[in-house]
Amino acid sequence: MTEAATDVRVDVHLGPGEERRLADDVLDGLTKPFKEIPPKHFYDARGSELFDAICEQPEYYPTRSEMAILTQRASQLVGDATELVELGSGAPTKARILLGAMTEGASRRYIPLDVSESALREAAGELIEELPDLSVHGVVGDFERHLDRIPGPLNGDPRVVALLGGTIGNFPPGTRRRLLRSIARLLRPGDRFILGTDLVKDPRVIEAAYDDAAGVTADFNLNLLNVVNRELEANFDVGAFEHVAFFDRRRQWVEMRLRATRASTVWIEALDLQVEFAPGEELRTEISAKFTPDRLRSDLKAAGLDLRQILTDPEDRFAVSVSGPVGSRAG
Ligand code: AVJ
């Protein structure tokens, strides 16, 4: 489905309700010996609100650290590109900074890809008001499935493809490699990929960021059970689970889990499925990988990407890296 307007075009590749494949993931994840539900299902309206609130917590540094890098180094990050492809775009905060650093009058173009059509249209509307030369070609889709739907460049100018916020850390290593490889295939010589990654640091700093004192992250984690209750007609007793977050030093990722505080039986009507939780049993809801510069370089290299710069915030907590297709040093 395609729709043309003056400066905004949006292609929709997700049907209503099939936005996220919750039913499949819950059936898969809750019938395994070690239960898990992938983190993409956190983000219903309430979950998105809670995530925004997490970003305001004093312990949750990644958003602030990344924003510091983007604001201070925007022109270095965009180089001479005139188009920005943003994967998992959400709110236009970061796009505004990056597009704003591109040369004015160069007919800038923004190509956001997001699962939420409403968020995408809202972002597009705000940005074309602010940047009169901007055109937007949005893609409503899932970047694990719809990268091939991203429109090609309009002219020979270089493009920036961005995956920010540390989102890459949510994917387990195999999926992460596949995703980076398909991103690499989007790049032509002269294009660049900018990737936001949280860095390995004192585990206490990381664990505090995922277990803030105000309990916002705990609410965000527990809200996943409300999502399953509502969408799949399940009867999780949210009060029978508690939030757990810990840094796995060997695998260099933080894990969030929901721990059953007592035995419970959950009925999931939409799946015709009964699930038992033993007291103390844990359900994994998120991994969020933290990187060292070496790890970053080798992960990118394995995907056919050549790391060119690592920009960090003054406290070295977060990195925004610039890489390009192997064998092309242009841009
Ligand atoms: C949006 C995926 C980058 O992993 O830090 C925040 C999500 N989870 N607090 C992250 C999250 C718990 C966040 N990402």
Side-chain angles (χ1 to χ4, degrees), residues 43 51 54 60 165-167 170 210 217 220 256 286 288 290:
Y43 301 92
F51 176 67
I54 286 173
Y60 192 76
T167 308
N170 276 176
Y210 291 82
T217 305
F220 172 76
M256 297 210 308
E286 181 171 67
S288 186
K290 309 305 168 194

Side-chain angles (χ1 to χ4, degrees), residues 15 25 63 77 112 115-116 166 228 231 248:
D25 287 346
T63 312
L77 287 168
V115 288
S116 165
V228 176
E231 299 296 324
D248 182 328

Side-chain angles (χ1 to χ4, degrees), residues 111-182:
I111 301 160
L113 182 141
D114 203 88
V115 288
S116 165
E117 181 172 357
S118 57
L120 195 145
R121 286 186 184 279
E122 209 172 298
E126 280 180 41
L127 290 171
I128 54 163
E129 291 261 303
E130 295 165 27
L131 306 169
D133 61 316
L134 185 72
S135 67
V136 179
H137 187 156
V139 178
V140 176
D142 177 340
F143 59 68
E144 287 180 77
R145 292 186 282 144
H146 299 114
L147 282 191
D148 59 340
R149 310 297 172 88
I150 289 172
L154 278 186
N155 55 39
D157 291 346
R159 311 214 277 187
V160 179
V161 175
L163 178 55
L164 298 169
T167 308
I168 189 74
N170 276 176
F171 297 99
T175 315
R176 187 197 306 157
R177 273 192 296 277
R178 271 199 300 285
L179 188 58
L180 290 174
R181 288 181 74 89
S182 44

Side-chain angles (χ1 to χ4, degrees), residues 30-326:
L30 294 190
T31 53
K32 285 184 191 170
F34 179 29
K35 298 182 174 70
E36 68 179 321
I37 299 178
K40 67 159 116 172
H41 303 298
F42 278 133
Y43 301 92
D44 68 339
R46 173 84 183 128
S48 302
E49 238 172 67
L50 286 166
F51 176 67
D52 290 345
I54 286 173
C55 296
E56 313 266 291
Q57 299 310 301
E59 298 93 337
Y60 192 76
Y61 59 84
T63 312
R64 278 188 299 276
S65 302
E66 185 180 54
M67 281 300 287
I69 301 165
L70 295 179
T71 48
Q72 283 159 32
R73 316 291 284 278
S75 48
Q76 196 177 340
L77 287 168
V78 299
D80 51 2
T82 59
E83 297 194 5
L84 170 65
V85 177
E86 188 179 13
L87 308 177
S89 46
T93 323
K94 298 165 191 178
R96 176 179 289 122
I97 295 167
L98 295 171
L99 291 165
M102 290 178 183
T103 315
E104 205 175 326
S107 47
R108 291 172 273 199
R109 187 169 180 232
Y110 180 42
I111 301 160
L113 182 141
D114 203 88
V115 288
S116 165
E117 181 172 357
S118 57
L120 195 145
R121 286 186 184 279
E122 209 172 298
E126 280 180 41
L127 290 171
I128 54 163
E129 291 261 303
E130 295 165 27
L131 306 169
D133 61 316
L134 185 72
S135 67
V136 179
H137 187 156
V139 178
V140 176
D142 177 340
F143 59 68
E144 287 180 77
R145 292 186 282 144
H146 299 114
L147 282 191
D148 59 340
R149 310 297 172 88
I150 289 172
L154 278 186
N155 55 39
D157 291 346
R159 311 214 277 187
V160 179
V161 175
L163 178 55
L164 298 169
T167 308
I168 189 74
N170 276 176
F171 297 99
T175 315
R176 187 197 306 157
R177 273 192 296 277
R178 271 199 300 285
L179 188 58
L180 290 174
R181 288 181 74 89
S182 44
I183 291 170
R185 280 196 298 269
L186 283 176
L187 304 175
R188 299 175 318 153
D191 291 348
R192 50 176 65 201
F193 172 47
I194 67 176
L195 176 66
T197 46
D198 197 8
L199 297 173
V200 170
K201 61 182 69 61
D202 184 341
R204 287 169 298 187
V205 174
I206 297 175
E207 286 174 353
Y210 291 82
D211 192 11
D212 59 278
V216 182
T217 305
D219 288 347
F220 172 76
N221 196 6
L222 288 160
N223 181 59
L224 185 63
L225 301 180
N226 294 323
V227 172
V228 176
N229 281 349
R230 186 188 60 238
E231 299 296 324
L232 302 178
E233 297 158 84
N235 66 353
F236 273 101
D237 175 0
V238 180
F241 289 84
E242 62 188 7
H243 169 66
V244 175
F246 65 95
F247 184 62
D248 182 328
R249 289 164 201 244
R250 189 173 62 81
R251 296 192 279 190
Q252 299 193 313
W253 68 44
V254 70
E255 244 183 79
M256 297 210 308
R257 297 181 178 183
L258 291 167
R259 182 191 291 141
T261 53
R262 49 186 154 81
S264 65
T265 301
V266 181
W267 174 249
I268 306 174
E269 177 71 25
L271 300 175
D272 227 343
L273 178 72
Q274 179 172 298
V275 182
E276 308 284 346
F277 283 86
E281 186 175 349
E282 294 178 354
L283 159 64
R284 181 162 75 183
T285 53
E286 181 171 67
I287 62 165
S288 186
K290 309 305 168 194
F291 292 79
T292 59
D294 281 347
R295 174 79 174 289
L296 191 56
R297 178 172 282 101
S298 67
D299 280 12
L300 289 165
K301 186 158 184 239
L305 292 161
D306 198 9
L307 177 62
R308 294 179 189 158
Q309 285 175 312
I310 301 185
L311 308 182
T312 60
D313 60 296
E315 292 167 297
D316 278 333
R317 290 181 159 183
F318 199 92
V320 178
S321 58
V322 181
S323 50
V326 166

